[in-house]
Amino acid sequence: MIREKVRVSAQTPRWKCVESRADDKRLFYGRFILSPLKKGQADIIGIAMRRALLGEIEGTCITHAKFAKIPHEYTTIAGIKESIYEILMNLKEIVLRSNLYGTRDASICVRGPRDVTAQDIILPPSTAIVDNTQHIFTLTEPIDFCVGLKIERGRGYSIKIPMPTDLFHHDSAYPIDAVFMPVRNVNHSIHSYERGSHEMLFLEIWTNGSLTPKEALREASRKLINLLMPFLHAEEENFYLVENNQNQDTEELPIDLCGLKDIYIDQLVELPPRFYNCLKRSGIHTVMDLLDKNRDDLMKMTHFRQEDIEGVMNILNNNISQLLSRRGFFF
């Protein structure tokens, strides 16, 4: 494909990182500048980016901890310095970096006496701990102690309220409030110049170490683009109303597939890490890249089997069946 050369205007806004540092393993800082902007544009972009950075970026947290024969969370155990409640609070502070989706199992199995830290957690694949020195609890006697953990990926806050019907809670397992947000804080400021006709946007980002500020800025930008993409391709002639609810499941809606190039495969819910890694190694980054491949192309991929193709088919059907119906991929 031949790409035409486009002359970029000197007035085209450009990002620039003017400061970047790691204060510690769980606190990264970045300062960015965007200019030139016309009057009023900096505030529009600054507010949108701040909301996306704080509310749209996903993170991974420990959401449940399961103990053996523990009556309640304020129990103290002989040979353990901390109470169960203190252990839960320490697990809440663990910062994880991963690309997994759904719920995964992890565990801690140790023998005292010793100080138990984040490095003692047995993690699922594609998951790493940002700070292995984070303290969890202290064993003061030579006893064996195990904790089962649930790891989830999400966004925003998740306040866990145990319900009387929660069987998982009845089995000595306790929910943990999760702060999925990898971005701790965002500030934006505006500098006007040329007698107020132009503006310069400054954006400061603090993260918890699971993402760098540059990665957070890129992810937030992608989230905003995906949210606004339907408006870009919304044309009245491409849509029609379904008068009968029974026809809604059977009739086919015309959809512009151009937007699929901006939907990345990591947005497919329940995509296993192995599938994700195989696709990425083969240069498949977006849903459109995947749709351009046939069965023979996928079978040529390293470590990709016939049953894996069926798995990809089911994942695509569950996620974007309406988009794929026009393409005829794996149907």
Side-chain angles (χ1 to χ4, degrees), residues 272-288:
R274 189 173 68 82
F275 288 10
Y276 174 81
N277 293 331
C278 288
L279 294 174
K280 292 287 284 186
R281 283 196 296 266
S282 299
I284 300 175
H285 304 287
T286 67
V287 174
M288 182 61 78

PDB file of all heavy atoms in Angstrom, residues 272-288:
ATOM      1  N   PRO A 272      -7.933 -15.560  26.372  1.00  0.00           N
ATOM      2  CA  PRO A 272      -6.874 -16.145  27.212  1.00  0.00           C
ATOM      3  C   PRO A 272      -5.521 -15.509  26.916  1.00  0.00           C
ATOM      4  O   PRO A 272      -5.239 -15.107  25.775  1.00  0.00           O
ATOM      5  CB  PRO A 272      -6.889 -17.628  26.815  1.00  0.00           C
ATOM      6  CG  PRO A 272      -8.251 -17.864  26.232  1.00  0.00           C
ATOM      7  CD  PRO A 272      -8.623 -16.569  25.558  1.00  0.00           C
ATOM      8  N   PRO A 273      -4.663 -15.429  27.921  1.00  0.00           N
ATOM      9  CA  PRO A 273      -3.325 -14.847  27.703  1.00  0.00           C
ATOM     10  C   PRO A 273      -2.536 -15.547  26.601  1.00  0.00           C
ATOM     11  O   PRO A 273      -1.818 -14.894  25.856  1.00  0.00           O
ATOM     12  CB  PRO A 273      -2.654 -14.985  29.075  1.00  0.00           C
ATOM     13  CG  PRO A 273      -3.774 -15.044  30.055  1.00  0.00           C
ATOM     14  CD  PRO A 273      -4.885 -15.756  29.358  1.00  0.00           C
ATOM     15  N   ARG A 274      -2.688 -16.878  26.490  1.00  0.00           N
ATOM     16  CA  ARG A 274      -1.922 -17.600  25.456  1.00  0.00           C
ATOM     17  C   ARG A 274      -2.380 -17.182  24.068  1.00  0.00           C
ATOM     18  O   ARG A 274      -1.569 -16.989  23.157  1.00  0.00           O
ATOM     19  CB  ARG A 274      -2.081 -19.108  25.640  1.00  0.00           C
ATOM     20  CG  ARG A 274      -1.140 -19.922  24.749  1.00  0.00           C
ATOM     21  CD  ARG A 274      -1.223 -21.390  25.084  1.00  0.00           C
ATOM     22  NE  ARG A 274      -2.513 -21.953  24.723  1.00  0.00           N
ATOM     23  CZ  ARG A 274      -2.824 -22.344  23.491  1.00  0.00           C
ATOM     24  NH1 ARG A 274      -1.940 -22.217  22.517  1.00  0.00           N
ATOM     25  NH2 ARG A 274      -3.999 -22.864  23.235  1.00  0.00           N
ATOM     26  N   PHE A 275      -3.711 -17.066  23.859  1.00  0.00           N
ATOM     27  CA  PHE A 275      -4.224 -16.611  22.577  1.00  0.00           C
ATOM     28  C   PHE A 275      -3.706 -15.209  22.282  1.00  0.00           C
ATOM     29  O   PHE A 275      -3.261 -14.907  21.168  1.00  0.00           O
ATOM     30  CB  PHE A 275      -5.752 -16.589  22.584  1.00  0.00           C
ATOM     31  CG  PHE A 275      -6.390 -17.949  22.551  1.00  0.00           C
ATOM     32  CD1 PHE A 275      -5.634 -19.097  22.722  1.00  0.00           C
ATOM     33  CD2 PHE A 275      -7.760 -18.089  22.357  1.00  0.00           C
ATOM     34  CE1 PHE A 275      -6.224 -20.361  22.695  1.00  0.00           C
ATOM     35  CE2 PHE A 275      -8.353 -19.330  22.327  1.00  0.00           C
ATOM     36  CZ  PHE A 275      -7.582 -20.472  22.505  1.00  0.00           C
ATOM     37  N   TYR A 276      -3.781 -14.339  23.295  1.00  0.00           N
ATOM     38  CA  TYR A 276      -3.341 -12.948  23.119  1.00  0.00           C
ATOM     39  C   TYR A 276      -1.876 -12.882  22.703  1.00  0.00           C
ATOM     40  O   TYR A 276      -1.508 -12.162  21.771  1.00  0.00           O
ATOM     41  CB  TYR A 276      -3.569 -12.185  24.422  1.00  0.00           C
ATOM     42  CG  TYR A 276      -3.021 -10.781  24.426  1.00  0.00           C
ATOM     43  CD1 TYR A 276      -3.724  -9.730  23.839  1.00  0.00           C
ATOM     44  CD2 TYR A 276      -1.792 -10.495  25.019  1.00  0.00           C
ATOM     45  CE1 TYR A 276      -3.221  -8.447  23.839  1.00  0.00           C
ATOM     46  CE2 TYR A 276      -1.287  -9.206  25.026  1.00  0.00           C
ATOM     47  CZ  TYR A 276      -1.998  -8.187  24.441  1.00  0.00           C
ATOM     48  OH  TYR A 276      -1.492  -6.913  24.446  1.00  0.00           O
ATOM     49  N   ASN A 277      -1.020 -13.663  23.391  1.00  0.00           N
ATOM     50  CA  ASN A 277       0.417 -13.631  23.086  1.00  0.00           C
ATOM     51  C   ASN A 277       0.711 -14.178  21.696  1.00  0.00           C
ATOM     52  O   ASN A 277       1.561 -13.642  20.981  1.00  0.00           O
ATOM     53  CB  ASN A 277       1.187 -14.419  24.149  1.00  0.00           C
ATOM     54  CG  ASN A 277       1.132 -13.762  25.511  1.00  0.00           C
ATOM     55  OD1 ASN A 277       1.024 -12.542  25.617  1.00  0.00           O
ATOM     56  ND2 ASN A 277       1.198 -14.552  26.575  1.00  0.00           N
ATOM     57  N   CYS A 278       0.010 -15.250  21.301  1.00  0.00           N
ATOM     58  CA  CYS A 278       0.218 -15.810  19.961  1.00  0.00           C
ATOM     59  C   CYS A 278      -0.181 -14.817  18.877  1.00  0.00           C
ATOM     60  O   CYS A 278       0.527 -14.654  17.882  1.00  0.00           O
ATOM     61  CB  CYS A 278      -0.588 -17.110  19.811  1.00  0.00           C
ATOM     62  SG  CYS A 278       0.038 -18.523  20.741  1.00  0.00           S
ATOM     63  N   LEU A 279      -1.313 -14.158  19.070  1.00  0.00           N
ATOM     64  CA  LEU A 279      -1.773 -13.186  18.078  1.00  0.00           C
ATOM     65  C   LEU A 279      -0.833 -11.992  17.986  1.00  0.00           C
ATOM     66  O   LEU A 279      -0.505 -11.525  16.894  1.00  0.00           O
ATOM     67  CB  LEU A 279      -3.184 -12.722  18.435  1.00  0.00           C
ATOM     68  CG  LEU A 279      -4.288 -13.785  18.362  1.00  0.00           C
ATOM     69  CD1 LEU A 279      -5.600 -13.233  18.886  1.00  0.00           C
ATOM     70  CD2 LEU A 279      -4.466 -14.296  16.944  1.00  0.00           C
ATOM     71  N   LYS A 280      -0.370 -11.498  19.149  1.00  0.00           N
ATOM     72  CA  LYS A 280       0.534 -10.347  19.147  1.00  0.00           C
ATOM     73  C   LYS A 280       1.851 -10.692  18.472  1.00  0.00           C
ATOM     74  O   LYS A 280       2.404  -9.880  17.717  1.00  0.00           O
ATOM     75  CB  LYS A 280       0.778  -9.888  20.583  1.00  0.00           C
ATOM     76  CG  LYS A 280      -0.436  -9.285  21.273  1.00  0.00           C
ATOM     77  CD  LYS A 280      -0.763  -7.902  20.746  1.00  0.00           C
ATOM     78  CE  LYS A 280       0.187  -6.869  21.284  1.00  0.00           C
ATOM     79  NZ  LYS A 280      -0.219  -5.499  20.891  1.00  0.00           N
ATOM     80  N   ARG A 281       2.387 -11.881  18.718  1.00  0.00           N
ATOM     81  CA  ARG A 281       3.653 -12.280  18.090  1.00  0.00           C
ATOM     82  C   ARG A 281       3.530 -12.389  16.574  1.00  0.00           C
ATOM     83  O   ARG A 281       4.520 -12.246  15.860  1.00  0.00           O
ATOM     84  CB  ARG A 281       4.130 -13.612  18.671  1.00  0.00           C
ATOM     85  CG  ARG A 281       4.759 -13.501  20.053  1.00  0.00           C
ATOM     86  CD  ARG A 281       5.541 -14.757  20.385  1.00  0.00           C
ATOM     87  NE  ARG A 281       4.674 -15.910  20.460  1.00  0.00           N
ATOM     88  CZ  ARG A 281       4.133 -16.375  21.580  1.00  0.00           C
ATOM     89  NH1 ARG A 281       4.384 -15.749  22.730  1.00  0.00           N
ATOM     90  NH2 ARG A 281       3.370 -17.444  21.593  1.00  0.00           N
ATOM     91  N   SER A 282       2.317 -12.634  16.098  1.00  0.00           N
ATOM     92  CA  SER A 282       2.093 -12.764  14.652  1.00  0.00           C
ATOM     93  C   SER A 282       1.678 -11.436  14.019  1.00  0.00           C
ATOM     94  O   SER A 282       1.246 -11.414  12.866  1.00  0.00           O
ATOM     95  CB  SER A 282       1.020 -13.828  14.390  1.00  0.00           C
ATOM     96  OG  SER A 282       1.425 -15.084  14.876  1.00  0.00           O
ATOM     97  N   GLY A 283       1.784 -10.350  14.773  1.00  0.00           N
ATOM     98  CA  GLY A 283       1.485  -9.034  14.221  1.00  0.00           C
ATOM     99  C   GLY A 283       0.009  -8.690  14.170  1.00  0.00           C
ATOM    100  O   GLY A 283      -0.393  -7.768  13.451  1.00  0.00           O
ATOM    101  N   ILE A 284      -0.819  -9.411  14.924  1.00  0.00           N
ATOM    102  CA  ILE A 284      -2.249  -9.133  14.984  1.00  0.00           C
ATOM    103  C   ILE A 284      -2.514  -8.296  16.223  1.00  0.00           C
ATOM    104  O   ILE A 284      -2.433  -8.786  17.352  1.00  0.00           O
ATOM    105  CB  ILE A 284      -3.070 -10.433  15.013  1.00  0.00           C
ATOM    106  CG1 ILE A 284      -2.797 -11.254  13.746  1.00  0.00           C
ATOM    107  CG2 ILE A 284      -4.558 -10.134  15.162  1.00  0.00           C
ATOM    108  CD1 ILE A 284      -3.460 -12.610  13.739  1.00  0.00           C
ATOM    109  N   HIS A 285      -2.826  -7.022  16.020  1.00  0.00           N
ATOM    110  CA  HIS A 285      -2.997  -6.103  17.144  1.00  0.00           C
ATOM    111  C   HIS A 285      -4.441  -5.637  17.305  1.00  0.00           C
ATOM    112  O   HIS A 285      -4.863  -5.334  18.418  1.00  0.00           O
ATOM    113  CB  HIS A 285      -2.091  -4.892  16.970  1.00  0.00           C
ATOM    114  CG  HIS A 285      -0.639  -5.245  16.818  1.00  0.00           C
ATOM    115  ND1 HIS A 285       0.133  -5.691  17.870  1.00  0.00           N
ATOM    116  CD2 HIS A 285       0.176  -5.250  15.727  1.00  0.00           C
ATOM    117  CE1 HIS A 285       1.361  -5.932  17.436  1.00  0.00           C
ATOM    118  NE2 HIS A 285       1.405  -5.673  16.141  1.00  0.00           N
ATOM    119  N   THR A 286      -5.179  -5.547  16.208  1.00  0.00           N
ATOM    120  CA  THR A 286      -6.553  -5.051  16.269  1.00  0.00           C
ATOM    121  C   THR A 286      -7.521  -6.120  15.782  1.00  0.00           C
ATOM    122  O   THR A 286      -7.113  -7.135  15.193  1.00  0.00           O
ATOM    123  CB  THR A 286      -6.716  -3.778  15.419  1.00  0.00           C
ATOM    124  OG1 THR A 286      -6.543  -4.128  14.029  1.00  0.00           O
ATOM    125  CG2 THR A 286      -5.686  -2.731  15.804  1.00  0.00           C
ATOM    126  N   VAL A 287      -8.828  -5.887  16.010  1.00  0.00           N
ATOM    127  CA  VAL A 287      -9.843  -6.812  15.529  1.00  0.00           C
ATOM    128  C   VAL A 287      -9.838  -6.872  14.010  1.00  0.00           C
ATOM    129  O   VAL A 287     -10.032  -7.929  13.422  1.00  0.00           O
ATOM    130  CB  VAL A 287     -11.224  -6.388  16.066  1.00  0.00           C
ATOM    131  CG1 VAL A 287     -12.325  -7.251  15.456  1.00  0.00           C
ATOM    132  CG2 VAL A 287     -11.264  -6.485  17.578  1.00  0.00           C
ATOM    133  N   MET A 288      -9.575  -5.735  13.359  1.00  0.00           N
ATOM    134  CA  MET A 288      -9.506  -5.745  11.900  1.00  0.00           C
ATOM    135  C   MET A 288      -8.360  -6.621  11.409  1.00  0.00           C
ATOM    136  O   MET A 288      -8.499  -7.337  10.408  1.00  0.00           O
ATOM    137  CB  MET A 288      -9.360  -4.302  11.377  1.00  0.00           C
ATOM    138  CG  MET A 288      -9.331  -4.210   9.859  1.00  0.00           C
ATOM    139  SD  MET A 288     -10.842  -4.820   9.097  1.00  0.00           S
ATOM    140  CE  MET A 288     -11.928  -3.421   9.364  1.00  0.00           C
TER     141      MET A 288
END
